[in-house]
Amino acid sequence: MSKAAPNAPDPLSVDPSSGPLTLALPDLQATERLATGLAGALEPGLIVFLSGDLGAGKTTFTRALLRALGYAGRVKSPTFTLLESYELSRFQLYHFDFYRLSSGRDWLDAGFDDLLGGTGVAVIEWPERAAASLPPPDLRLRLDFDAARGEDARVATLEAGSPRGMACLRRLRAASAAC
């Protein structure tokens, strides 16, 4: 797992209940390592909000997450379909992309609310497009460009939104410390 600049505080030393976890991701491989770490921390029923500007790597992150969970098939962006579903050994992963929603209620009208909080894991890109009608997330992950460190560099900010999200961050931190 990539860490902050040499003199910056180690983001992995912060208790997840005390605030967000911020990680420097200098390249695609660091983003993939974060996805791998998160894959080991996911459990059925989790709702993950995935935010960031266009091109920040949300779908790339989700593709790496699915690979780490053992999915070997084609991973498509749900930008036009709103949902891609993946049957995994531990649970079903629902990958939503709400970028093209015209209304915050469109996802409800499509019946997608039945897929949240059950036995699957929901990863929702562009949750802000439906924020008023979405249940609160267990985990928020934001990817931002870090142009000062290079074209492929990103900063990931993870924040727990529930006790289950805090447990997920603790497992992610433990997995990161072992790297």
Side-chain angles (χ1 to χ4, degrees):
M1 187 74 39
S2 297
K3 296 188 177 149
N7 294 325
D10 179 0
L12 298 178
S13 66
V14 178
D15 178 11
S17 63
S18 68
L21 170 63
T22 302
L23 301 169
L25 306 173
D27 52 31
L28 178 61
Q29 292 76 22
T31 301
E32 291 171 347
R33 285 191 301 274
L34 174 59
T36 299
L38 184 58
L42 293 178
E43 61 183 52
L46 277 171
I47 299 172
V48 179
F49 283 6
L50 187 52
S51 299
D53 290 333
L54 273 174
K58 296 177 296 296
T59 299
T60 299
F61 176 86
T62 304
R63 186 172 290 120
L65 180 69
L66 282 159
R67 293 285 177 250
L69 289 165
Y71 186 78
R74 183 169 179 240
V75 177
K76 300 183 292 184
S77 171
T79 299
F80 293 100
T81 59
L82 299 181
L83 169 67
E84 291 293 334
S85 180
Y86 301 93
E87 184 69 39
L88 305 169
S89 62
R90 293 176 27 215
F91 48 74
Q92 186 94 6
L93 188 134
Y94 303 106
H95 180 198
F96 295 94
D97 185 333
F98 291 161
Y99 180 73
R100 298 201 181 278
L101 288 185
S102 58
S103 157
R105 294 198 43 86
D106 285 352
W107 78 278
L108 287 169
D109 294 340
F112 293 151
D113 55 324
D114 292 339
L115 302 176
L116 302 183
T119 59
V121 170
V123 175
I124 303 172
E125 293 187 40
W126 297 97
E128 51 278 352
R129 302 279 175 133
S133 59
L134 282 171
D138 295 294
L139 189 65
R140 284 182 173 82
L141 177 99
R142 178 162 183 88
L143 293 171
D144 290 299
F145 293 101
D146 189 358
R149 291 198 174 138
E151 182 180 319
D152 294 332
R154 305 290 189 264
V155 173
T157 305
L158 296 100
E159 185 174 11
S162 73
R164 287 168 30 129
M166 283 186 239
C168 187
L169 277 183
R170 279 192 293 276
R171 288 189 300 270
L172 177 60
R173 181 170 285 111
S176 298
C179 291

